[in-house]
Amino acid sequence: MINKELIVLDSNLSNKEDIIRFLGKKAYDLGYITNLDHYIEAVEKREKEFSTAVGYGVSIPHGKSEAVNEAFIAFMRSESPIVWDEEENKPVRLIFLIGVPENKKETLHLKILAQISKKLMDEEFRNNMVNENKAKVFELLMEIEENIK
């Protein structure tokens, strides 16, 4: 679920569409997704329903799709805060892109969101995600995965 190749630090991408496509493409290249366009459509559909900017400078875009082979969490830290949604005007730096197979959507999807949300309540965790190197960020993300299993 967590893969070092799905961690991108200090990106200079500046809008959610580019970020979602970039992280989705990484997941596709690693075999987590069979059809990138279908997955992106699912994520964009969810974005239109309700903003995934959750506060604390974090967004958790996600999509449940038959195009997802295996559940994954991709993570990006942007170089500087970006506006995720014009209406919400909540700048974000930490983006967790989640993909869950359609047939596992209810339980796994909710477990992943719950574990990420729980960690985000911890100020030290958030600070580490903003300031630490890739090895430490990977370690922190693995803590989330351990609590999901």
Side-chain angles (χ1 to χ4, degrees):
M1 186 178 312
I2 305 290
N3 182 318
K4 280 187 182 176
E5 298 300 313
L6 292 176
I7 299 172
V8 179
L9 300 184
D10 305 321
S11 166
N12 60 5
L13 295 175
S14 60
N15 66 66
K16 74 177 172 183
E17 293 79 13
D18 289 347
I19 291 169
I20 291 168
R21 179 150 298 273
F22 181 84
L23 290 175
K25 174 82 167 76
K26 283 188 142 324
Y28 173 79
D29 290 345
L30 291 167
Y32 288 97
I33 299 170
T34 58
N35 186 313
L36 180 58
D37 290 334
H38 287 175
Y39 173 72
I40 299 292
E41 286 171 21
V43 175
E44 288 175 346
K45 179 181 177 204
R46 173 60 184 82
E47 284 291 325
K48 287 176 184 160
E49 291 170 5
F50 194 75
S51 175
T52 58
V54 297
Y56 301 113
V58 176
S59 183
I60 311 175
H62 51 281
K64 298 171 279 187
S65 171
E66 292 175 8
V68 178
N69 281 337
E70 183 183 339
F72 68 88
I73 300 172
F75 173 76
M76 180 181 283
R77 178 173 71 204
S78 68
E79 199 170 61
S80 54
I82 63 164
V83 174
W84 194 253
D85 285 303
E86 296 296 331
E87 307 84 51
E88 297 284 327
N89 198 24
K90 292 180 184 175
V92 302
R93 277 199 69 202
L94 307 176
I95 299 101
F96 296 82
L97 178 68
I98 301 171
V100 177
E102 184 72 32
N103 62 347
K104 295 184 179 178
K105 65 180 181 186
E106 298 311 321
T107 56
L108 186 57
H109 171 250
L110 294 175
K111 282 181 185 177
I112 293 170
L113 285 173
Q115 287 305 316
I116 292 173
S117 298
K118 185 176 174 182
K119 282 292 201 181
L120 290 173
M121 301 310 277
D122 179 356
E123 186 176 357
E124 183 180 351
F125 174 82
R126 293 190 314 269
N127 288 337
N128 285 335
M129 294 302 281
V130 168
N131 298 309
E132 288 292 344
N133 63 29
K134 192 170 188 171
K136 180 64 175 179
V137 168
F138 177 72
E139 183 183 307
L140 293 167
L141 290 171
M142 286 304 296
E143 290 175 15
I144 292 171
E145 182 172 334
E146 291 301 316
N147 288 326
I148 293 168
K149 292 183 174 178

